[in-house]
Amino acid sequence: MALRWYAAVSFALVAGYLAFPADQRTIPFLIVTFAAVPAVIVGMRRSAPAARAPWWPVLAGLVVFNIGNLAWLWYFYVQGRATGDGTLADLLYNLANLLMLAGAMTVVLRRGRRDIGGLIDSGITAFALGGLLWDAFVLPQLTAADTPMPRQAALFVNVLVMAGGLGALLRVSMVSGRQVPALWLMTLSMGTGLAGNLAAAFAVDPATGTRPDWTTVVFMAGYTFLGCAALHPSSAVVTRPGPEPSDDLTAGRLMFLGIMTALIPLVGGGRAIFNLPTDGLLVALGSAVVVPLVMLRVARLANQRRRAERALLQMVNRDALTGLPNRAGCLERLATELERPGVAVLFCDLDGFKPVNDRLGHAAGDELLITVAARLRGCIRDEDLVSRFGGDEFVVVLRDDDPRTAVDAVCARIREMVAQPFAAGGESVRIGMSVGVAFAEQGACIDGLMNRADLAMYEAKQSKNVGALSLALA
């Protein structure tokens, strides 16, 4: 209800602003700008404390904006100036824009934490296009109107800051779809604010330095959109992480980013060649901001590729169920260990596993295998390897100056392990383990060593016993 009343009254004042007598237009203007403050306060109080973070700088920005508006009116009415532009009011507007940007970036960083690549791309694009707009259109207009340098500096900061914020907000809003209307309202607020600054630059009267009153309507709409964003019920979720879109940097997208990177220097250099007004600060600042963003984007892609390669390698060499190295990982490690003497292989097979799996089901069997894997890890040293070779078979690879003593110690711990019951499928079950041991001889090959351990395991199977260790040496 509060949202409907606020939107109806505020937009009515915006729409009817120019219908007021010129000397009374300050009244609807101040009503709209000041009403945005309690709207944000009410909307913020409705949100959970964790969701209020972006609204604090927005609230501070609104307060500073209104102080700037009062300062502008003071210069106009009290000091009798033709306009409050180019005064202390502009400094306050710049500060307010920075606070608004801080609030917008809080939303962007929280909502878009799963879309960092997309946000970087949108920031690069927005900054480059904002710089193009400034250098190719706004600056020539200001130069032709002989706009004072402080006013140019204020507009320069506003245009670039708001362009960057608008690009990031637009990206977050588009990824979120129609689920969060408050995001779109915040984006509209930033967009109308940028449009208002551009309108103020293009519509200024060169003779008097004043701008037409219709430009004020654009700023008022920005205040109203922001108040509606705060009052909308979806404002409580604007800081929740959004969806994770695809982040493929295709050749076309990379070329587009390259064009955006070169856009400001090319336009600035081209205008300088033809002796047209150009902003050297923009060219320097554009390179200082856009190029590092592109490098950051490339670095993120390199990190993503390394993570993907590590994940793929882990998938190839790891057992998905137990997390142990699989057959490939075991044989790769064994090949490394055989380069030095003192290697022993323990080929382990569970006794009594099939009855448990058949009676309690595969889920219980998987639970039992996970538990066995965890206990086997506890039976070996950190430098040793235990792997799931396949099914209910496990292979232990160890190397020691005295491998027979090391094998005896591991087997003693395995004997204690299988003597204890295991939990599977909500029941207490017992299993045994048959272990075949083979010691690597000088010049031993992987296949020969594994075959000897396997044959020894089958020999141990002849005396298998549930709840006990059956052991045979090759």
Side-chain angles (χ1 to χ4, degrees), residues 50 61 159 162 170-171 181 203 208 270 313-314 316 345-346 368 370 400 427 465 473:
V159 168
M162 298 182 78
L170 188 60
R171 170 68 184 188
T208 63
L313 182 62
Q314 186 172 13
V316 171
V345 171
L346 287 72
L368 179 56
I370 293 171
D400 195 89
E427 294 188 16
N465 188 14
L473 302 179

Side-chain angles (χ1 to χ4, degrees), residues 349-356 368 415 417-422 428-434 460-461 463-470:
D349 186 80
L350 302 186
D351 300 325
F353 172 77
K354 188 175 184 302
V356 173
L368 179 56
R415 185 175 289 108
M417 177 193 78
V418 296
Q420 303 297 321
F422 292 78
S428 178
V429 299
R430 300 182 69 85
I431 60 168
M433 185 173 289
S434 295
K461 278 283 188 185
S463 58
K464 67 181 180 180
N465 188 14
V466 172
L469 169 68
S470 303

Side-chain angles (χ1 to χ4, degrees), residues 23-302:
D23 59 347
Q24 297 180 16
R25 291 174 183 172
T26 302
I27 297 173
F29 173 74
L30 291 179
I31 291 176
V32 169
T33 59
F34 275 91
V37 175
V40 169
I41 294 175
V42 171
M44 185 168 59
R45 288 177 60 86
R46 290 178 177 176
S47 303
R52 297 175 185 173
W55 297 109
W56 286 110
V58 167
L59 179 61
L62 280 174
V63 171
V64 175
F65 263 129
N66 278 290
I67 295 175
N69 291 334
L70 293 176
W72 195 99
L73 294 172
W74 185 80
Y75 281 109
F76 181 79
Y77 285 107
V78 177
Q79 290 203 345
R81 295 194 180 190
T83 178
D85 295 341
T87 64
L88 174 64
D90 277 346
L91 294 178
L92 292 170
Y93 292 152
N94 285 338
L95 174 59
N97 276 323
L98 291 175
L99 289 169
M100 290 292 184
L101 180 66
M105 288 300 100
T106 304
V107 172
V108 166
L109 293 176
R110 292 194 176 190
R111 183 75 188 176
R113 68 184 66 175
R114 297 173 180 166
D115 184 33
I116 300 300
L119 291 177
I120 294 175
D121 291 352
S122 64
I124 293 171
T125 303
F127 195 89
L129 293 178
L132 172 64
L133 183 67
W134 172 266
D135 212 24
F137 300 101
V138 179
L139 181 61
Q141 174 71 18
L142 296 178
T143 303
D146 199 24
T147 304
M149 188 56 63
R151 176 62 177 162
Q152 289 190 31
L155 279 173
F156 175 77
V157 173
N158 285 344
V159 168
L160 292 188
V161 166
M162 298 182 78
L166 177 61
L169 276 176
L170 188 60
R171 170 68 184 188
V172 172
S173 300
M174 293 175 65
V175 171
S176 299
R178 299 181 180 179
Q179 301 174 357
V180 190
L183 280 175
W184 284 106
L185 290 167
M186 290 183 71
T187 305
L188 283 171
S189 175
M190 186 73 74
T192 50
L194 177 59
N197 278 280
L198 294 176
F202 282 100
V204 66
D205 186 344
T208 63
T210 61
R211 51 185 171 85
D213 233 7
W214 64 262
T215 58
T216 304
V217 176
V218 184
F219 289 111
M220 292 170 65
Y223 284 100
T224 303
F225 282 130
L226 186 58
C228 289
L231 289 174
H232 197 279
S234 63
S235 64
V237 299
V238 295
T239 55
R240 293 181 185 174
E244 185 174 2
S246 175
D247 191 26
D248 296 330
L249 193 59
T250 61
R253 193 171 179 181
L254 187 59
M255 182 177 295
F256 177 78
L257 289 178
I259 293 173
M260 290 298 103
T261 304
L263 193 59
I264 294 177
L266 283 176
V267 173
R271 293 183 63 83
I273 291 174
F274 292 102
N275 294 321
L276 297 173
T278 187
D279 194 334
L281 176 62
L282 173 64
V283 175
L285 185 62
S287 300
V289 173
V290 174
V291 173
L293 284 176
V294 173
M295 298 304 295
L296 176 62
R297 187 72 169 98
V298 174
R300 279 184 53 81
L301 287 172

